[in-house]
Amino acid sequence: MAHWWQTGIVYQIYPRSFQDSNDDGIGDLPGIIERLDYLQWLGVDAIWVSPFYPSPMKDFGYDVADYTDVDPIFGTLSDAEQLIAEAHARNIKIIFDLVVNHTSDQHPWFLESRSSRDNPKRDWYMWADPKPDGSPPNNWLGHFDGESAWEWDEATEQYYYHTFLAEQPELNWRNPEMRAAMLDNMRFWFDRGVDGFRLDVSYRAMKDAELRDNPPNPDWEPGMDPFRRLLEPHTRNIPEIHTFNKWLREVADEYEERVLIGEISLPFEELVKHYGENNDELHLPFNFDLIHREWTAEEIRSSIADYEAALPEGAWPNYVLGNHDQHRFGSRTAPEQIRIGMMLLLTLRGTPTVYYGEEIGMLDGDIPLNRVQDPWEKNVPGLGLGRDPERTPMQWDASPQAGFTSEGVEAWLPIASGYTTINVNNERSEPASILMMTRSLIRLRRDHAALHLGGQTLLDAPEGVLAYERQVEGERFVVALNFRGEYTAFAAGDEGNIVFSTYMDLPPADSPLRPHEGRLLRI
Ligand code: NOJ
């Protein structure tokens, strides 16, 4: 029997930006509950909700001050429980976000840890002595500014390590008490019915015990992200990370049918090791390769082929086109690529994760300087690293705040231009819209085992076309995606019947692919 997280579609919600229910300009859990009927109508099987825990919001919730409660901005613990119940009532699974690598500096654990060198929780975080000249213990760099990742603590005269903001101190997973406490935080939510976790930068959770320097990156040049100046053999994906994965997996396995999804950015050969030698680590190490490859039929074909070739026996693939850290798909490529992008995501072998708004073709918002929120953009301005553009409010309708919040309320980020046409209401009434296309694809995937479970074979295709077959016994489909803005002949065998086109019509079987058209043929 296949697992729900293999056959299903995951939908990511960035809670600040989905639906505001109390007119403070920030989305919240009751807002998500209000929109569950929409998600059920769309046909997704699971939602992953980015962090909503109590937080000083230095990194908008990825700085957690309490793993077992809800920030008042987002609601209450009982709202979280209601969200789980209401999602389940609609047959939608719930995945929460577990920030395993660091906490907020306001987490009671860290407040204790920094209070004195002999505090019992001192070792729950990564503290180290300065070098003899007073400088930081090694050369490790911070992700959000490219400067030393070590923060000096005047009171106790040691440095603490933080990959992200100084307000996000790094946990020490080698400490058994901290580990037990964090694993109990997982159980807290599993006991309340949560179906899984997305694990924030899970591959960074263990660091070199000897704190060795990272080597320089020979490919780095001025003008690039300053954090990339060094390679990172000692701060991510170190051998002990597989022990860490197993600690978490053992807890997930105490429950039925739970899923662990790892946020991991690594080349395939290293990425796939996170499934575990016996599939005993993470169920789904995120595959971000579609985001990083050049968007051409040939590059995407080789991404799929390389990934499939690297996957170990029994490992289930997955794909992602966007998330809250990446510019939106249609803005990275071009708006006319959105339809085939969506079709690719929803017809490949493996679990797709859809980022909120992708289903309507949302694009990056323009963020005026005085509206910048992301600390990364504030620290390293102008390089396009900031993540506000892809986090703008969900576009529900054409009213002044796009239905995200009430008229007259200022949303925490500006509504993206184009929302008067790119919105759920409008697209629900347009039979050929991106939304209706996405929903049809979701239906097709759900209705056909070949698409949600079947095998996959890449096919030969003319330049600019990506084609593959999906099959189970007695059922065969061919997907053909035209990446180019030109008509291109493509033959998928004689008996091919077109059952779907991204143009939302059914053209004659022998007609050439139209510009940027994706087709599904039943063979
Ligand atoms: C990865 C998250 O996706 C990102 O949004 C966050 O800033 C960092 N981890 C730090 O938690």
Side-chain angles (χ1 to χ4, degrees):
M1 255 296 277
H3 301 285
W4 64 267
W5 48 266
Q6 296 179 302
T7 54
I9 292 166
V10 180
Y11 184 94
Q12 181 192 354
I13 293 178
Y14 192 68
R16 292 183 77 84
S17 302
F18 201 57
Q19 178 65 56
D20 178 17
S21 75
N22 62 351
D23 287 349
D24 62 357
I26 299 174
D28 44 51
L29 300 188
I32 299 176
I33 295 170
E34 279 173 29
R35 296 297 186 178
L36 284 174
D37 287 338
Y38 163 75
L39 295 173
Q40 187 181 27
W41 170 84
L42 182 60
V44 302
D45 301 273
I47 54 179
W48 147 34
V49 189
S50 285
F52 49 75
Y53 314 105
S55 164
M57 302 293 165
K58 298 291 178 194
D59 190 18
F60 297 106
Y62 282 96
D63 46 326
V64 178
D66 179 352
Y67 288 83
T68 58
D69 205 349
V70 173
D71 194 282
I73 287 181
F74 294 121
T76 62
L77 183 56
S78 110
D79 292 329
E81 288 169 338
Q82 199 192 339
L83 173 61
I84 299 166
E86 297 271 356
H88 284 169
R90 290 167 180 79
N91 264 322
I92 297 175
K93 305 279 187 191
I94 277 274
I95 299 167
F96 283 174
D97 206 312
L98 194 70
V99 186
V100 286
N101 181 68
H102 46 267
T103 68
S104 160
D105 64 344
Q106 297 307 306
H107 194 294
W109 296 349
F110 188 70
L111 295 178
E112 279 195 51
S113 183
R114 85 181 304 171
S115 66
S116 78
R117 284 208 195 191
D118 49 17
N119 183 278
K121 291 198 173 59
R122 183 66 169 183
D123 187 45
W124 286 34
Y125 291 83
M126 291 183 58
W127 291 97
D129 288 329
K131 284 189 178 156
D133 65 356
S135 64
N138 64 22
N139 71 349
W140 296 356
L141 297 177
H143 204 296
F144 286 151
D145 58 10
E147 288 167 23
S148 174
W150 293 94
E151 188 75 8
W152 178 245
D153 183 56
E154 199 58 60
T156 59
E157 298 194 318
Q158 274 190 318
Y159 283 97
Y160 68 87
Y161 177 62
H162 59 92
T163 306
F164 297 94
L165 298 172
E167 294 90 347
Q168 293 168 293
E170 214 91 350
L171 286 162
N172 174 19
W173 276 86
R174 296 180 204 275
N175 178 290
E177 283 93 40
M178 186 293 286
R179 202 155 75 218
M182 193 58 123
L183 297 179
D184 274 346
N185 286 335
M186 289 177 79
R187 292 189 185 95
F188 176 90
W189 291 112
F190 279 148
D191 288 340
R192 280 163 181 73
V194 165
D195 300 286
F197 288 103
R198 174 265 190 190
L199 306 169
D200 191 62
V201 289
S202 60
Y203 70 133
R204 293 185 175 279
M206 305 292 287
K207 263 69 61 172
D208 182 44
E210 294 167 44
L211 306 183
R212 282 172 290 181
D213 273 356
N214 275 329
N217 174 2
D219 297 329
W220 186 86
E221 285 168 23
M224 288 165 68
D225 178 355
F227 172 66
R228 304 274 164 216
R229 287 205 308 280
L230 301 182
L231 298 173
E232 289 197 90
H234 300 312
T235 41
R236 56 176 217 184
N237 200 42
I238 68 165
E240 291 99 311
I241 197 63
H242 299 285
T243 313
F244 163 87
N245 287 344
K246 285 179 191 160
W247 289 328
L248 275 65
R249 177 60 179 264
E250 276 167 24
V251 174
D253 285 349
E254 293 167 12
Y255 299 80
E256 299 281 311
E257 283 290 281
R258 302 304 210 265
V259 69
L260 296 178
I261 306 176
E263 191 211 3
I264 300 171
S265 250
L266 290 172
F268 289 141
E269 66 187 274
E270 282 303 316
L271 175 70
V272 300
K273 291 185 188 158
H274 288 254
Y275 286 101
E277 268 175 38
N278 303 303
N279 283 300
D280 53 359
E281 296 185 27
L282 307 183
H283 302 89
L284 298 174
F286 261 141
N287 165 15
F288 296 129
D289 201 54
L290 294 181
I291 295 178
H292 302 302
R293 292 272 182 144
E294 193 192 342
W295 186 253
T296 64
E298 291 68 29
E299 270 295 304
I300 298 303
R301 188 185 203 281
S302 77
S303 172
I304 298 164
D306 296 349
Y307 181 51
E308 284 277 352
L311 280 175
E313 180 82 26
W316 186 253
N318 77 88
Y319 291 92
V320 173
L321 283 184
N323 58 40
H324 64 293
D325 296 326
Q326 303 293 335
H327 292 311
R328 286 195 176 265
F329 174 75
S331 299
R332 289 192 328 256
T333 59
E336 56 273 21
Q337 300 289 347
I338 290 176
R339 285 174 189 255
I340 59 163
M342 208 48 158
M343 182 158 179
L344 175 78
L345 181 68
L346 294 171
T347 56
L348 280 170
R349 184 180 95 93
T351 306
T353 300
V354 175
Y355 182 49
Y356 83 91
E358 271 174 2
E359 75 275 24
I360 55 171
M362 264 177 76
L363 298 170
D364 277 357
D366 285 326
I367 312 295
L369 274 181
N370 64 353
R371 299 288 304 270
V372 169
Q373 299 274 0
D374 186 9
W376 199 1
E377 181 65 30
K378 288 182 179 170
N379 289 347
V380 191
L383 296 185
L385 299 173
R387 300 163 297 175
D388 296 326
E390 59 265 27
R391 296 176 177 179
T392 60
M394 178 65 180
Q395 295 158 201
W396 296 104
D397 60 40
S399 69
Q401 293 299 321
F404 165 72
T405 188
S406 302
E407 217 181 309
V409 175
E410 182 167 270
W412 80 286
L413 280 173
I415 312 287
S417 61
Y419 79 94
T420 52
T421 48
I422 305 173
N423 68 61
V424 171
N425 252 11
N426 182 34
E427 295 189 31
R428 266 178 99 146
S429 65
E430 295 276 343
S433 66
I434 292 176
L435 176 60
M436 297 312 275
M437 181 205 75
T438 304
R439 183 168 181 254
S440 301
L441 282 166
I442 290 176
R443 284 264 167 102
L444 277 166
R445 185 180 178 97
R446 201 177 247 195
D447 289 348
H448 297 284
L451 295 175
H452 62 243
L453 211 59
Q456 176 171 286
T457 315
L458 288 165
L459 303 175
D460 290 336
E463 200 192 321
V465 175
L466 172 63
Y468 45 94
E469 189 182 285
R470 300 291 320 274
Q471 68 286 99
V472 286
E473 177 128 15
E475 202 179 34
R476 266 170 72 205
F477 289 96
V478 167
V479 178
L481 306 171
N482 184 5
F483 280 57
R484 299 196 304 182
E486 290 152 37
Y487 284 82
T488 312
F490 173 79
D494 314 326
E495 342 84 293
N497 250 339
I498 297 181
V499 292
F500 176 85
S501 160
T502 52
Y503 279 56
M504 295 298 279
D505 59 6
L506 291 177
D510 53 2
S511 60
L513 288 167
R514 290 165 283 181
H516 304 295
E517 183 181 14
R519 282 183 190 172
L520 186 70
L521 297 100
R522 196 175 187 140
I523 309 291

